[in-house]
Amino acid sequence: MSTEADHAAAVVAVACSGGRDSIALLHATASAARDVPGLAVVALHVHHGLSLQADAWQAHVDDCCRRWADAGLPVRTLTRRVVCVDDGGGIEAAARRARYAALADMAREVGATLVLLAHHRRDQAETVLLQALRGGSAAGLAAMPREAWRDGLCWVRPWLDQPRRAIEAYVAHHRLVHVDDDSNDSRVHARNRLRLDVWPALQGAFPEAEANLAASARRVADAQAVAQMFALTQLKALAQGPRQLDAVAWSALPAPLRRMVLLAWWRAAGVSPEGSWVTRLSDEVPLLVARQRAGRWPGAGVTLYRGVLTLGEPCETGLEPGEAQCGRPLRPETIEAGWGAQGGVTLGDVSMPASGVLRLAGWGGALKACRVPERGVPWSALQHMRVAPREAGAQFQAGPGRPARSLKKQFQQAAVPAWLRRGPLCWQGGSVLFVPGLGMDARHWAAAGEPQWALQWVPDPE
């Protein structure tokens, strides 16, 4: 049985823009919370600054919460201002990312683990149509989930099965005042074009379109969940390490299952590939496996060698100054001076710049420094390195306590394909620091728990 102590300091957060749907959800949540001792409701408002009315919207949410609190409802508001920068995906997508990031930050600030969103059945139906028109995957056609856990927060859409008219009736019954977003009348955005031009005709021809499209989303979501669970089961049987896959057994699977397992493999490694790569690898790898051939797809970071698919090394995001972030274009620094020749071998003393990207003139590629949780070296080890081709007698130590062995033996033992062996060796002091295809020499590894980096050799596109 629930007691008053169980609800002490409990907080429910409601994302509230000030529009009809979110105002209605905020009022309904605050009204219900009044009957739960110790439960507080916080309206989370994000000020994008994209509209001239943004200040008025914030003032309206503040005013509503103040009036309802005076009337005895346990509600207050918290606002966060964000700056939206279009990074090429459109300002609408940038605003959505900024909004959810701000909502998550504010929810943690007030101690809430539950965030309510006001999307309703019409929103869900529109999302299904938009995804279908964009050629969306099964995950896209499943549209918005009713409940999802992300980064320790539970995001819930309690009204996802409620028709729009029910929310309009609630607003009218309680005489709630809401703001109207002036951008809703602009046909620049795809959702607005669908809502203004397509939806009236669609509903006129198919009165049950809203309910049926939302029902389809639920069925696709169920099927997608089952497919993902089965794909994970298959992946567990095929994985030969965190980033390696038995390509022979995987190639024997039916094509649809191959694609699902490949997606699960990538996602388990924290990678979000383009859909075209999923289809291409699913088609090309089995042909190479049947001919016992190797292959590589630099654009996807995948190689096939000795019947094993390998995914390129991961790099962390959100790095500190002086660290590189893979997957994001960085301005490389090219070393042109300070090079000499000794016995026909090009030598050079170089240091990794703060950008984390060091382009080596004449080598046809660049060294990238990436933050790693283990098997890396201190940043100081990347300063004053000697860069040179492979030398006779060079040895590499694969792990602590293991003997340093010749590069040829290490390459063979690790099954490193020939193309991954190309590139310069980096030396620190009298021993190898980095070998393309093998990684960082264990003799230079940083102590556990210390900040550490690993090098990657990235050749120029062929």
Side-chain angles (χ1 to χ4, degrees):
M1 176 179 292
S2 177
T3 66
E4 182 171 337
D6 295 329
H7 300 291
V11 179
V12 174
V14 179
C16 185
S17 66
R20 178 195 62 236
D21 304 333
S22 62
I23 282 289
L25 179 60
L26 178 62
H27 182 269
T29 304
S31 299
R34 179 168 48 187
D35 300 327
V36 182
L39 182 61
V41 177
V42 181
L44 306 181
H45 179 77
V46 180
H47 188 301
H48 295 92
L50 297 177
S51 171
L52 296 176
Q53 301 182 49
D55 289 339
W57 296 342
Q58 178 184 339
H60 177 69
V61 175
D62 290 340
D63 180 64
C64 286
C65 288
R66 190 165 40 250
R67 288 188 292 103
W68 295 344
D70 291 342
L73 297 186
V75 62
R76 61 186 176 92
T77 184
L78 179 63
T79 297
R80 181 69 48 84
R81 290 175 177 258
V82 299
V83 177
C84 303
V85 179
D86 186 353
D87 57 1
I91 192 64
E92 188 177 14
R96 186 184 306 109
R97 288 193 299 272
R99 179 167 63 253
Y100 277 98
L103 290 173
D105 286 343
M106 287 189 288
R108 295 188 186 97
E109 181 179 330
V110 301
T113 57
L114 176 64
V115 183
L116 303 184
L117 304 170
H119 299 107
H120 49 73
R121 195 172 70 182
R122 174 75 64 84
D123 296 322
Q124 184 78 321
E126 291 172 352
T127 301
V128 174
L129 281 176
L130 287 172
Q131 287 291 335
L133 292 170
R134 293 165 179 163
S137 64
L141 294 173
M144 297 178 287
R146 171 182 293 279
E147 177 180 316
W149 281 90
R150 291 194 301 271
D151 301 324
L153 296 174
C154 185
W155 304 78
V156 176
R157 297 176 174 87
W159 286 355
L160 204 55
D161 289 331
Q162 292 294 326
R164 176 177 174 175
R165 62 178 180 273
I167 298 171
E168 293 172 339
Y170 183 92
V171 169
H173 177 76
H174 292 280
R175 299 181 180 180
L176 302 179
V177 178
H178 60 87
V179 298
D180 290 315
D181 188 343
D182 52 330
S183 68
N184 287 338
D185 294 327
S186 170
R187 286 173 168 79
V188 173
H189 305 305
R191 187 177 289 271
N192 286 352
R193 294 195 298 274
L194 176 66
R195 185 172 294 166
L196 297 173
D197 299 331
V198 177
W199 191 262
L202 179 64
Q203 194 168 35
F206 302 94
E208 300 301 319
E210 178 182 309
N212 290 339
L213 286 169
S216 292
R218 289 194 299 272
R219 297 186 181 101
V220 173
D222 287 346
Q224 175 73 357
V226 172
Q228 287 179 338
M229 287 188 288
F230 185 65
L232 288 173
T233 301
Q234 294 292 312
L235 176 62
K236 185 176 181 180
L238 297 173
Q240 295 191 343
R243 302 177 73 82
Q244 290 190 318
L245 193 69
D246 182 342
V248 178
W250 173 77
S251 296
L253 299 175
L257 186 53
R258 282 203 304 270
R259 292 190 287 270
M260 289 294 296
V261 171
L262 193 62
L263 274 173
W265 181 54
W266 261 318
R267 288 169 180 160
V271 179
S272 299
E274 296 181 3
S276 58
W277 279 117
V278 176
T279 301
R280 178 176 171 182
L281 289 174
S282 179
D283 292 340
E284 295 179 4
V285 171
L287 297 178
L288 292 175
V289 167
R291 297 162 58 193
Q292 297 185 345
R293 299 287 298 276
R296 56 175 174 158
W297 297 263
V302 174
T303 60
L304 170 65
Y305 187 65
R306 294 185 179 178
V308 175
L309 281 177
T310 302
L311 193 59
E313 290 295 325
C315 294
E316 292 184 357
T317 58
L319 304 180
E320 303 168 0
E323 303 170 14
Q325 180 171 336
C326 291
R328 177 177 296 180
L330 298 173
R331 183 172 60 190
E333 298 189 18
T334 303
I335 301 300
E336 301 285 359
W339 292 84
Q342 179 178 333
V345 178
T346 303
L347 303 174
D349 182 17
V350 301
S351 294
M352 179 61 63
S355 67
V357 181
L358 178 63
R359 180 166 182 77
L360 302 179
W363 285 90
L367 287 170
K368 288 189 177 182
C370 302
R371 181 71 177 270
V372 293
E374 59 182 8
R375 297 174 176 266
V377 302
W379 183 259
S380 59
L382 304 183
Q383 307 303 305
H384 305 293
M385 301 178 289
R386 183 169 66 90
V387 179
R390 287 173 58 180
E391 301 176 5
Q395 293 187 326
F396 181 86
Q397 184 173 330
R402 301 171 65 177
R405 304 174 63 190
S406 69
L407 298 188
K408 180 179 180 180
K409 290 183 178 179
Q410 296 284 21
F411 283 135
Q412 291 175 343
Q413 183 174 351
V416 178
W419 61 77
L420 291 182
R421 306 179 188 184
R422 302 168 187 165
L425 269 63
C426 297
W427 296 71
Q428 187 57 260
S431 60
V432 167
L433 174 72
F434 165 74
V435 178
L438 293 177
M440 311 305 294
D441 191 290
R443 289 170 288 188
H444 298 276
W445 285 1
E450 291 185 2
Q452 46 194 287
W453 288 259
L455 292 176
Q456 286 182 304
W457 172 246
V458 183
D460 294 334
E462 298 179 352

